[in-house]
Amino acid sequence: MATQAYLLLYNTAQALGWSAALATTVRSIVVNGGSLAAVYGDSGWFVRTFQVASVLEVFHAGLKLTRTPMSAALMQWAGRTHVLIAVTHAIPHLQTTAAAGILILAWALTEVIRYPSYALSQSCPGWLNWLRYTIFIPLYPIGAASEMKLMYDGIPTMTAKKMYSISMPNAYNFAFDYTSFVKVVLILYPFLFYQLYAYMFVQRKKKLGPSTRKKED
């Protein structure tokens, strides 16, 4: 009972946070005549706060409070948070790009459906459940493409500033080149995205398949 109350509180808080992010995003686009340039500046605080806080979902999965595989929860959280904090927030000129605005819009549209469906759980209405397992079809690829675009566009700045890199020699005899790391991530990203995307289609079949509809009838 306590677990259900906690998850209800968590998912409700996330739903409200992402609703605020979506509302400020839409307002920003309308006020600026359709431009996406100010979206990050207007909505970034909400997005950063609630995206970072979603690390709790990794622990929820690890503690079996939810049915989501821990690997899927970790992969999604780490990928999103890296692009948001380590790349976009750290490189100011990326924040005014169309990719940043599209990214926030795609994420917010996804989450204002996902979290309410989690909060309502067993009493989730059919239309919301359908949206939950359908809207990801266009939005996930749009979000992933935006993430890759932001990382790619950030490479020149990462290289010039040697961001997060560790040079030799040092006391630990260890070197790390962040630009090379990002390039490897960009190569692997389509494959990692495919795993998550395929997992969502499996879940869609389970939630919206004929057997599920028969149970509801």
Side-chain angles (χ1 to χ4, degrees):
M1 194 68 179
T3 297
Q4 292 178 345
Y6 162 73
L7 290 175
L8 174 61
L9 179 63
Y10 170 79
N11 289 314
T12 300
Q14 284 282 6
L16 292 172
W18 283 102
S19 294
L22 180 59
T24 53
T25 294
V26 172
R27 180 181 181 279
S28 178
I29 294 171
V30 171
V31 168
N32 291 286
S35 173
L36 297 166
V39 167
Y40 186 89
D42 292 337
S43 306
W45 183 88
F46 292 107
V47 175
R48 290 191 302 274
T49 299
F50 290 93
Q51 173 55 38
V52 172
S54 67
V55 69
L56 291 172
E57 292 168 40
V58 179
F59 294 99
H60 296 168
L63 295 171
K64 306 299 182 183
L65 301 183
T66 61
R67 296 179 182 179
T68 304
M70 187 176 181
S71 58
L74 178 60
M75 183 168 64
Q76 184 175 32
W77 180 83
R80 275 187 168 197
T81 305
H82 169 252
V83 172
L84 181 65
I85 303 298
V87 179
T88 307
H89 192 63
I91 304 176
H93 76 82
L94 294 178
Q95 298 168 19
T96 57
T97 61
I102 292 171
L103 179 74
I104 288 179
L105 184 59
W107 284 4
L109 284 169
T110 300
E111 305 302 37
V112 296
I113 294 169
R114 185 167 74 100
Y115 284 111
S117 71
Y118 285 165
L120 293 171
S121 188
Q122 299 300 322
S123 59
C124 180
W127 64 267
L128 183 58
N129 190 55
W130 182 86
L131 276 177
R132 163 75 180 100
Y133 291 99
T134 301
I135 201 168
F136 80 89
I137 296 173
L139 292 183
Y140 273 29
I142 291 172
S146 299
E147 291 169 24
M148 292 183 68
K149 174 66 171 168
L150 288 163
M151 284 189 285
Y152 179 81
D153 288 348
I155 287 176
T157 301
M158 297 171 194
T159 303
K161 293 187 176 182
K162 297 183 179 180
M163 290 174 60
Y164 315 123
S165 296
I166 302 172
S167 301
M168 293 278 283
N170 57 65
Y172 299 99
N173 199 33
F174 171 79
F176 173 73
D177 182 61
Y178 180 67
T179 302
S180 297
F181 167 76
V182 169
K183 289 178 179 178
V184 172
V185 169
L186 282 170
I187 293 171
L188 296 177
Y189 225 70
F191 303 99
L192 297 174
F193 168 74
Y194 174 77
Q195 291 182 13
L196 179 61
Y197 203 47
Y199 168 75
M200 285 302 301
F201 273 100
V202 171
Q203 291 300 105
R204 187 177 195 271
K205 186 176 181 180
K206 288 180 181 178
K207 299 294 183 179
L208 303 181
S211 59
T212 303
R213 289 197 293 270
K214 287 179 182 178
K215 289 180 182 179
E216 291 177 351
D217 294 340

